[in-house]
Amino acid sequence: MKDKQQNILIIGAGLCGSLLALRLGQRGYNVAVYEMRPDLRKVDISAGRSINLAFSNRGNKAMKLVGIEDKVKALCIPMHGRMIHDKKGNTHLSNYSGREHEFINSISRGELNGLLLTEAEKHENVSIYFNKKCRSVDFEKTTALFQDYKTKDEFVEDADIIIATDGAGSAMRRSYYLSKKFLFSFSQEYLTHGYKELSILPKENGDYKAYKNALHIWPRGSFMLIALPNLDGSFTVTLFLSYDEGEYNFNNLTTEDAVLEFFQKEFPDALALMPNLIDDFFKNPTSPLGTVKCSPWHYKGNTLLMGDAAHAIVPFYGQGMNASFEDVVEFDKVLDKNLESWEATFTAYEKTRKKDTDAIADLAIDNFHEMKGHVANPMFQEKRKLEMALEQNFPNEYASKYSLVTFNEDIGYREAMLKGRAQDKAILNLLSDEKIDLKENLKILLEKVKQKTEAILENDKIAGLK
């Protein structure tokens, strides 16, 4: 473990893999990264994949670790809250936090990935190879079979350890599953909804057509549209819609007239900003939304799954990238312990990390229902109003579930989930039972929420939920 001359093979040079290569390179390991796609710094390969992402505190913690926080900040557009659009085009800004310094950022996937690759390559002990697709992994021999996209030649790479950061369709996870050589649990659950990328182009002078510093959302109960700003004045727009349920769905939106009718009825103010809608709609793919959970993530001291390869989640908490970056931070903490073997290291890492990645997967599903419907519910809006006031007036005493997950990077996702869910339940119960009046003294309201939350947490503990 203390011999830094060991050779580490990383499969996948996406966000998690390139950050991991950079950090292991900084630690002195010999690192070889193999990526199936071309070098995104030279070729545009973003079509149909979300080209911008929500970047927040847990992700930034990783940027601090590798010393590139300022370089990443230059790529960010702050989003202070959700700009909610109703069917008539009225808008309402709902802040993410009552504390002014707490906000999320829109960041370009390609720009960030490119920066991480460039930083990793600055280390002589890090090599990155593109257009090399992993076919399978022999986790007993610690070798991986690759195919070169251009020559079609197959070749085997050997290493001391292999870490797979090759996303939701991980080749190494598939090798674990198909081999039947050890007890490997795997689940993959899809939502009934898919998503399609669209866009709002900038004005002719390069300005934004809508308010720049917010995540725009058009909640419509069983479906929704969202938009995140880009540095060039455009917005990346994503439609989340059922494949086959409801009056309008992806399976029946097959003509230009049907698509225009749907947008005119449900998102008229968005449609007015999107003369390119039809081109985008029929050019870009419709993609599924799924959650992957599995265990164990490692095989002895030979191989390890990390990032989406271990725990892919749906995008509704804006935490997929942040969770994968936090994986690297948590792995780094275990490396600091200098355990006696890679097996001990991988075991310790999974033990500390899996409960949190399971929690954020569940929270992301919760937030899907919240975003497409609840944000427009009057009771939910009352709850948010109270939470904003509590965060503003008692910044050190209260944090909403959203704040606990997104801005409190020093507590794990599971702890944030348990406390946050209890607080949500406490406030909604107090509001529905008319036990609190929003005109009351805020200190009294805070105490009522705290007492009710503690009682719920205690009941959860008795019920074995904690």
Side-chain angles (χ1 to χ4, degrees):
M1 277 298 302
K2 287 174 182 162
D3 174 15
K4 295 296 173 65
Q5 292 314 302
Q6 291 174 85
N7 298 311
I8 299 176
L9 170 59
I10 297 174
I11 303 169
L15 292 165
C16 184
S18 51
L19 173 66
L20 180 65
L22 169 55
R23 185 59 189 148
L24 292 176
Q26 289 175 340
R27 292 189 76 110
Y29 292 102
N30 291 328
V31 182
V33 188
Y34 287 81
E35 166 60 46
M36 71 173 183
R37 294 167 301 178
D39 186 342
L40 53 71
R41 294 166 295 180
K42 298 171 184 170
V43 184
D44 179 21
I45 54 170
S46 64
R49 297 188 81 217
S50 63
I51 63 167
N52 57 8
L53 301 157
F55 177 74
S56 53
N57 296 37
R58 292 176 196 272
N60 197 48
K61 182 169 60 173
M63 300 306 105
K64 285 180 186 171
L65 175 69
V66 295
I68 58 169
E69 185 184 8
D70 290 343
K71 290 180 181 177
V72 173
K73 196 174 180 183
L75 304 175
C76 290
I77 299 174
M79 299 186 292
H80 297 282
R82 295 169 175 160
M83 184 67 81
I84 298 163
H85 297 246
D86 70 14
K87 275 194 182 186
K88 293 176 182 168
N90 301 315
T91 58
H92 158 65
L93 182 64
S94 172
N95 280 356
Y96 283 124
S97 170
R99 290 174 282 268
E100 280 188 22
H101 65 280
E102 290 181 345
F103 53 86
I104 64 174
N105 300 277
S106 177
I107 194 166
S108 158
R109 176 197 289 273
E111 293 286 333
L112 179 56
N113 206 160
L115 172 64
L116 290 167
L117 289 168
T118 299
E119 292 293 322
E121 282 184 333
K122 287 179 180 176
H123 296 269
E124 287 181 8
N125 48 327
V126 176
S127 304
I128 305 173
Y129 305 94
F130 297 96
N131 297 304
K132 310 282 188 278
K133 182 179 175 64
C134 182
R135 289 288 182 198
S136 61
V137 176
D138 186 327
F139 45 83
E140 291 182 302
K141 292 180 180 171
T142 327
T143 60
L145 174 67
F146 292 93
Q147 182 177 37
D148 187 292
Y149 259 117
K150 289 174 182 167
T151 65
K152 303 299 177 198
D153 292 343
E154 291 193 342
F155 60 96
V156 172
E157 285 296 321
D158 194 356
D160 294 309
I161 62 165
I162 300 174
I163 303 178
T165 54
D166 52 342
S170 171
M172 188 160 88
R173 194 184 65 236
R174 190 171 65 244
S175 292
Y176 278 5
Y177 180 70
L178 293 175
S179 72
K180 298 186 170 49
K181 291 191 177 171
F182 62 104
L183 297 174
F184 181 68
S185 300
F186 168 67
S187 71
Q188 181 169 294
E189 291 184 47
Y190 286 105
L191 293 180
T192 54
H193 287 54
Y195 74 94
K196 188 182 285 284
E197 294 276 332
L198 306 165
S199 60
I200 294 173
L201 300 175
K203 292 180 181 176
E204 283 186 15
N205 65 1
D207 282 353
Y208 294 85
K209 287 182 182 172
Y211 179 64
K212 173 185 176 182
N213 295 110
L215 186 153
H216 292 258
I217 174 168
W218 291 257
R220 296 296 181 263
S222 60
F223 54 90
M224 66 175 160
L225 194 70
I226 69 166
L228 276 73
N230 296 308
L231 290 171
D232 66 359
S234 68
F235 287 84
T236 299
V237 181
T238 310
L239 172 65
F240 297 97
L241 182 69
S242 174
Y243 279 100
D244 53 15
E245 294 169 1
E247 182 186 355
Y248 300 100
N249 56 60
F250 279 127
N251 288 350
N252 69 21
L253 289 176
T254 55
T255 66
E256 292 185 13
D257 287 347
V259 173
L260 288 171
E261 178 190 293
F262 171 51
F263 270 75
Q264 188 60 62
K265 182 179 173 185
E266 298 293 346
F267 317 114
D269 60 329
L271 178 60
L273 307 176
M274 301 168 72
N276 49 308
L277 169 66
I278 295 299
D279 286 348
D280 284 349
F281 196 94
F282 290 103
K283 182 183 73 180
N284 291 342
T286 303
S287 305
L289 294 158
T291 300
V292 168
K293 293 180 181 178
C294 65
S295 70
W297 293 346
H298 60 97
Y299 178 78
K300 298 185 175 172
N302 295 1
T303 55
L304 174 70
L305 298 168
M306 195 180 284
D308 282 359
H311 51 78
I313 64 175
V314 295
F316 302 106
Y317 229 107
Q319 287 295 307
M321 164 182 66
N322 295 289
S324 291
F325 283 171
E326 194 176 58
D327 282 358
V328 177
V329 175
E330 293 302 311
F331 186 62
D332 194 68
K333 285 181 188 172
V334 179
L335 287 178
D336 281 342
K337 293 178 181 175
N338 267 321
L339 301 178
E340 70 277 6
S341 66
W342 282 115
E343 185 169 9
T345 300
F346 294 167
T347 302
Y349 165 67
E350 182 171 351
K351 192 174 179 187
T352 59
R353 190 68 183 142
K354 183 164 167 51
K355 64 183 187 304
D356 288 323
T357 59
D358 282 353
I360 192 58
D362 295 344
L363 281 163
I365 301 281
D366 288 355
N367 224 38
F368 168 57
H369 300 296
E370 182 174 304
M371 288 174 76
K372 67 185 170 62
H374 302 171
V375 290
N377 181 308
M379 178 82 82
F380 178 85
Q381 290 174 352
E382 291 279 274
K383 177 177 87 74
R384 285 303 287 162
K385 210 179 289 179
L386 173 58
E387 290 192 309
M388 290 297 103
L390 293 177
E391 288 188 337
Q392 221 164 355
N393 290 276
F394 309 103
N396 300 320
E397 290 187 66
Y398 187 83
S400 68
K401 180 176 75 180
Y402 187 88
S403 289
L404 288 167
V405 170
T406 308
F407 306 122
N408 285 255
E409 66 272 23
D410 295 328
I411 69 169
Y413 285 126
R414 181 166 166 76
E415 187 186 337
M417 177 181 76
L418 293 170
K419 188 176 180 185
R421 280 179 172 174
Q423 283 177 176
D424 282 357
K425 199 170 168 185
I427 294 174
L428 289 170
N429 285 351
L430 288 165
L431 284 169
S432 62
D433 295 344
E434 298 183 352
K435 295 278 177 66
I436 54 174
D437 181 345
L438 296 188
K439 296 188 184 77
E440 274 183 83
N441 177 290
L442 272 176
K443 186 70 180 167
I444 293 170
L445 287 175
L446 176 65
E447 290 311 315
K448 284 185 178 178
V449 171
K450 277 185 173 179
Q451 283 175 9
K452 188 80 170 168
T453 301
E454 286 305 317
I456 290 168
L457 284 169
E458 190 56 37
N459 289 342
D460 285 351
K461 202 185 284 183
I462 292 165
L465 298 176
K466 195 164 183 180

